[in-house]
Amino acid sequence: MNNSSLYIGPTALPALAALLARPGTTRVAVLADTNTVRLCYPKLQPHLPADHLLIEMSAGEEHKTLATCERVWAELTEHQFDRHSVLVCLGGGVVTDLGGFCAALYKRGLRCVVVPTTLLAQVDAGIGGKTGVDFQGYKNHLGVFQLPEAVCIEPEFLATLDPRELRAGYAEVVKHWLIADSDAFVQGRQQGMFVEDWALVVQASVAIKQAIVAQDPLERGPRKLLNFGHTVGHALESYLLGQAGRAVLHGEAVAAGMVCEAWLSVQKGLLTERELDQIETFLFSVFEKVQFVTLETDAIAELARQDKKNQGATINCTLLEGIGRGVYDQPVTVAELAESLRYYHRL
Ligand SMILES: NC(=O)c1ccc[n+]([C@@H]2O[C@H](COP(=O)([O-])OP(=O)(O)OC[C@H]3O[C@@H](n4cnc5c(N)ncnc54)[C@H](O)[C@@H]3O)[C@@H](O)[C@H]2O)c1
Ligand SMILES: O=C(O)C(=O)C[C@@H](O)[C@H](O)[C@H](O)COP(=O)(O)O
Ligand SMILES: [Zn+2]
């Protein structure tokens, strides 16, 4: 995989304009959801060629599906987009995951530029080339690794973000600290969500993710560190997504998953009770508890059998061997995952 160019801050949108004006570029489409069309697209428009095509999709995880991709592909086809065209993905992780996937498959690949507009997408989803959609209730079950040509991060987009969405993105920031930066965790615990300059948080978090992805872009090994909190988190998110009125945001599920997987780390003798307490106290100071009943824990844990880190019947989890030190390929059982959910439920 080649590298993506990365632009963060005031140079990001002018850099996008320069990329789109590159000789040989045939057409430009912008994929945005109903909210980013309204709140972010006007800021992007001056940096786009006048004849660009706007493709709008419905907002929300429930639309991260093949059906939405089909609509995107149909529009690109109708407007005769070729491989020298560019798809600009303007939105949160749903738009960047789905748009990146559409770009990778359309005519076996057209150019793609990511303009992430949520904290979660700026620190995580927009970086590293994991693209995909949900399928049959399983998270990101269909997807490809395909780096975009460029990632253009303008932290000013965060100004219109709902506080709940900002918090959800913060979960992935905390994940980066827990797997790779103990000092940032110590500092972050003091600061909490009272952040003066989100651009600095974004920059530091992107650096952690990029360093890990650079070592292992296709997730054969160390990239699995970035999945801390996701074995349980994705199971919980998938379980609740299918139930009316109970869906939680990806970051909220990951925050819960990190508590469960930190607890599992203690059970495996990798993390101390004191460290678990620090992690839990901090996460519960930011995130509300995800609601489920103990009767549901087995069914939730069962969903981890489809986790992409698994090998055969072995469920491989990423755990912590200390704050700031993730460790991947740690085998866990469905029973242990269910027990971790019961622990979380009792807190
Ligand atoms: N590919 C990866 O590496 C990766 C990493 C983490 C998460 N993800 C995926 O990302 C998705 C979650 O992403 P998300 O949290 O960004 O959710 P999202 O894309 O659903 O965006 C959250 C909400 O915020 C709105 N929004 C976006 N930008 C806005 C802005 N600037 N102002 C106001 N509203 C805005 C969206 O319309 C949406 O309603 C999940 O599907 C998750 O699986 C992927
Ligand atoms: O970039 C990665 O690698 C990650 O695992 C980042 C995660 O935060 C993200 O949610 C990712 O989409 C999960 O991937 P999956 O392979 O578990 O679907
Ligand atoms: Zn995630």
Side-chain angles (χ1 to χ4, degrees):
M1 286 209 316
N2 294 323
N3 289 335
S4 304
S5 306
L6 175 68
Y7 307 93
I8 306 185
T11 58
L13 299 187
L16 169 72
L19 276 172
L20 300 181
R22 222 174 66 184
T25 305
T26 45
R27 295 291 316 269
V28 172
V30 176
L31 175 66
D33 72 21
T34 34
N35 298 319
T36 59
V37 163
R38 193 167 42 89
L39 297 165
C40 307
Y41 176 63
K43 193 172 164 60
L44 191 70
Q45 228 167 354
H47 304 277
L48 298 170
D51 65 346
H52 68 272
L53 170 72
L54 175 64
I55 306 177
E56 182 173 332
M57 63 174 279
S58 305
E61 185 72 30
E62 66 276 26
H63 299 288
K64 195 174 131 179
T65 60
L66 274 181
T68 306
C69 293
E70 279 196 41
R71 287 198 288 277
V72 174
W73 288 322
E75 286 223 40
L76 295 173
T77 305
E78 187 191 332
H79 290 87
Q80 306 201 320
F81 273 61
D82 62 20
R83 283 179 175 170
H84 306 276
S85 316
V86 187
L87 182 67
V88 179
C89 304
L90 177 71
V94 168
V95 171
T96 60
D97 276 15
L98 182 140
F101 182 69
C102 286
L105 268 70
Y106 180 81
K107 297 190 178 175
R108 297 201 192 90
L110 87 170
R111 293 171 56 197
C112 180
V113 178
V114 168
V115 183
T117 61
T118 61
L119 179 62
L120 188 139
Q122 295 192 348
V123 299
D124 193 357
I127 309 290
K130 262 192 185 178
T131 74
V133 295
D134 304 336
F135 183 66
Q136 295 191 345
Y138 295 109
K139 286 281 303 178
N140 312 328
H141 204 61
L142 307 174
V144 293
F145 289 99
Q146 181 73 66
L147 282 172
E149 182 174 312
V151 182
C152 302
I153 303 179
E154 172 48 277
E156 280 191 7
F157 281 127
L158 303 182
T160 54
L161 202 58
D162 186 275
R164 182 178 170 194
E165 297 290 352
L166 194 70
R167 247 195 318 276
Y170 193 64
E172 303 280 20
V173 173
V174 176
K175 176 195 76 180
H176 288 157
W177 298 340
L178 290 175
I179 59 170
D181 193 342
S182 57
D183 291 345
F185 179 72
V186 171
Q187 235 181 310
R189 276 173 72 203
Q190 285 155 11
Q191 189 177 32
M193 290 285 292
F194 300 102
V195 173
E196 265 181 35
D197 188 353
W198 282 103
L200 296 177
V201 174
V202 169
Q203 230 150 16
S205 217
V206 164
I208 292 176
K209 176 154 187 183
Q210 272 202 313
I212 294 173
V213 171
Q215 287 177 57
D216 176 27
L218 300 178
E219 202 179 30
R220 307 279 191 245
R223 185 169 184 159
K224 294 177 195 172
L225 294 174
L226 294 167
N227 228 251
F228 174 60
H230 286 65
T231 303
V232 174
H234 270 168
L236 201 51
E237 186 184 358
S238 296
Y239 183 85
L240 295 173
L241 186 64
Q243 307 208 358
R246 294 185 71 196
V248 292
L249 302 178
H250 175 74
E252 294 168 341
V254 169
M258 288 194 288
V259 172
C260 295
E261 294 174 21
W263 178 82
L264 281 168
S265 307
V266 174
Q267 306 316 300
K268 304 276 178 190
L270 297 167
L271 195 71
T272 65
E273 290 278 1
R274 185 164 170 271
E275 288 170 311
L276 172 63
D277 182 60
Q278 287 174 352
I279 294 169
E280 260 168 34
T281 307
F282 179 56
L283 286 172
F284 280 116
S285 72
V286 177
F287 296 95
E288 282 177 20
K289 202 159 161 184
V290 173
Q291 298 299 323
F292 54 86
V293 295
T294 43
L295 264 178
E296 295 176 302
T297 51
D298 289 339
I300 297 168
E302 276 294 330
L303 294 172
R305 290 195 196 278
Q306 289 287 345
D307 193 280
K308 291 168 223 71
K309 301 183 298 305
N310 298 350
Q311 186 160 18
T314 306
I315 300 175
N316 286 318
C317 201
T318 296
L319 299 178
L320 298 178
E321 51 180 4
I323 289 177
R325 281 202 319 279
V327 54
Y328 56 91
D329 283 349
Q330 300 297 304
V332 295
T333 63
V334 168
E336 287 172 327
L337 294 171
E339 195 51 45
S340 77
L341 283 157
R342 286 192 279 278
Y343 169 78
Y344 176 87
H345 184 266
R346 284 196 298 275
L347 286 169

